[in-house]
Amino acid sequence: MMFEDKLEDNLFELHDKLVNFKYKHGDYESFKIYDPKIRIIHKAQVIDRVVHTLAANELERLYKPIFIKSSYACIKNRGIHKALYDLVKCSQKASINNKYNFWYVKCDIRKFFNNIDQIVLWEILNKKIKNKNFLWLIKQIIVSHNFGKVDKGLPLGNFTSQWLANIYLNELDYFVKHKLKIKYYLRYADDFIFFGHKKTDLLKSLCSIIEFLDKNLKLKIHENKIVIKKCGSGMDFVGYKVLPHYVIIRKRIKKKMINKTKRVKEQLDKGILSNWQYCQTVNSYLGWLKHCNGYNLTNQIIYFN
């Protein structure tokens, strides 16, 4: 009961700070993950994560109805596998059931979360959010960390950062769909892909997108990761490779699955891991593989020796 009483006291104290505009975001705990490149995660304190959850729920209520249907990251009932299914469906339409080849362009944004411009984000939010109290709260969250750069960046790890990132790139989505009139365009976080039949048209659109990102959102495309190919060679997106007649898992992810399964099997045999922990890892990979043509890899993981 002492823990419950303390929790209740903390929530009442938080409520009092919020309604009296005295809330101040606490410090972050930072740590690194390897995915496979190094990412720095900023973990907020528990009481701040309560605020993030409430704020994210309100952002979802306001913005989810205006997001385009082909934006997938961190949106309920969408996600990676919805993006994959839609990509397959769009490619079948563009190729008229794989009868014709077409060109595609795939890009991602350089150091996206670190380079989100807080001033631009604030201007975007002010166009939609009319509640001044909520705007005040969102501002406390936005300015809670700036990575050593003035008015730059959002913490990778905040629940609110995921929604604010989607809101930020919703400007790009609208530009692509309504200004450039690109029919086939899908975005997952800062990765996006678009395609059509004329390479010259796609290159013109790419130049317009690069200019828009630079001028309006202060962002840069990762030049070394721009892919311009024909769909027959396969479209690499959200961890899968979509080919004309089938879908396979991305090579890097396949290698990671095999190596991780080998490690956890060794740990199971040594008694370091329980059967339940081992099955957790295996089942997570089988969940990925059921969405593609991964029969051989599935058997390799299930019957790993």
Side-chain angles (χ1 to χ4, degrees):
M1 289 298 294
M2 289 180 64
F3 173 78
E4 292 176 357
D5 290 342
K6 181 66 175 176
L7 176 62
E8 187 176 4
D9 290 343
N10 288 341
L11 290 174
F12 276 121
E13 182 181 354
L14 174 62
H15 176 267
D16 182 65
K17 288 180 179 178
L18 288 171
V19 297
N20 291 296
F21 304 100
K22 293 180 179 179
Y23 168 75
K24 186 177 180 182
H25 199 286
D27 294 332
Y28 288 92
E29 175 190 348
S30 299
F31 58 92
K32 295 178 181 178
I33 62 170
Y34 300 85
D35 189 36
K37 64 183 179 182
I38 298 174
R39 297 181 188 274
I40 300 175
I41 305 298
H42 295 85
K43 183 180 177 183
Q45 297 175 25
V46 173
I47 201 69
D48 295 314
R49 297 205 298 272
V50 172
V51 175
H52 292 171
T53 301
L54 296 172
N57 289 342
E58 180 63 8
L59 289 172
E60 179 180 12
R61 185 188 71 81
L62 290 169
Y63 283 95
K64 187 179 177 183
I66 69 169
F67 285 161
I68 65 169
K69 292 181 179 179
S70 54
S71 169
Y72 300 94
C74 309
I75 301 175
K76 211 173 288 182
N77 301 320
R78 299 192 194 178
I80 286 172
H81 296 117
K82 172 66 171 160
L84 173 64
Y85 288 136
D86 285 356
L87 179 59
V88 172
K89 190 188 300 181
C90 288
S91 67
Q92 288 173 345
K93 288 180 180 178
S95 64
I96 311 178
N97 292 323
N98 300 316
K99 289 180 182 178
Y100 302 99
N101 218 337
F102 59 83
W103 290 90
Y104 77 92
V105 179
K106 181 181 177 291
C107 307
D108 72 19
I109 296 168
R110 184 186 291 274
K111 296 182 179 178
F112 171 55
F113 276 90
N114 282 10
N115 288 315
I116 289 175
D117 190 288
Q118 294 178 2
I119 295 174
V120 174
L121 174 60
W122 185 244
E123 290 170 354
I124 292 169
L125 293 168
N126 270 274
K127 289 189 292 185
K128 176 70 175 172
I129 301 173
K130 304 305 177 186
N131 186 317
K132 292 183 179 180
N133 294 346
F134 185 53
L135 279 172
W136 173 85
L137 177 60
I138 289 296
K139 190 164 189 178
Q140 308 313 304
I141 295 171
I142 290 173
V143 302
S144 61
H145 202 294
N146 63 16
F147 309 94
K149 300 177 183 178
V150 177
D151 300 324
K152 284 283 186 180
L154 290 177
L156 186 58
N158 279 358
F159 189 26
T160 45
S161 293
Q162 298 168 358
W163 275 97
L164 292 171
N166 263 339
I167 292 165
Y168 200 74
L169 286 184
N170 188 55
E171 301 292 306
L172 171 65
D173 298 340
Y174 272 54
F175 175 73
V176 170
K177 296 297 289 183
H178 300 301
K179 295 289 186 182
L180 300 182
K181 308 285 186 185
I182 295 177
K183 184 177 182 181
Y184 299 116
Y185 163 83
L186 302 91
R187 180 178 64 80
Y188 188 93
D190 60 329
D191 291 341
F192 59 92
I193 188 169
F194 58 98
F195 44 93
H197 293 283
K198 292 184 179 180
K199 184 179 180 180
T200 52
D201 290 345
L202 293 178
L203 290 174
K204 285 180 184 176
S205 295
L206 176 59
C207 290
S208 297
I209 287 169
I210 290 172
E211 183 181 358
F212 176 84
L213 285 170
D214 182 45
K215 182 179 177 181
N216 295 75
L217 298 179
K218 315 299 182 188
L219 296 171
K220 304 284 186 186
I221 292 288
H222 203 304
E223 293 181 0
N224 295 332
K225 294 185 178 180
I226 297 174
V227 177
I228 305 172
K229 290 183 179 180
K230 282 197 169 182
C231 70
S233 64
M235 294 186 288
D236 194 339
F237 193 58
V238 294
Y240 295 90
K241 192 169 187 176
V242 176
L243 290 141
H245 298 285
Y246 57 97
V247 178
I248 58 175
I249 204 80
R250 191 178 180 185
K251 281 186 179 180
R252 180 175 62 80
I253 295 177
K254 177 181 177 179
K255 185 178 179 181
K256 180 181 176 181
M257 285 181 176
I258 293 171
N259 291 339
K260 182 67 180 292
T261 304
K262 182 180 179 180
R263 286 200 304 272
V264 296
K265 181 64 167 62
E266 289 172 352
Q267 290 174 332
L268 175 68
D269 293 341
K270 292 177 181 177
I272 299 172
L273 285 184
S274 66
N275 281 322
W276 179 78
Q277 290 170 314
Y278 173 75
C279 288
Q280 264 195 320
T281 299
V282 171
N283 287 336
S284 69
Y285 292 155
L286 296 180
W288 267 76
L289 291 169
K290 73 178 182 180
H291 297 281
C292 68
N293 302 83
Y295 179 78
N296 291 334
L297 182 55
T298 297
N299 283 337
Q300 188 176 353
I301 287 174
I302 291 175
Y303 303 110
F304 201 96
N305 292 308

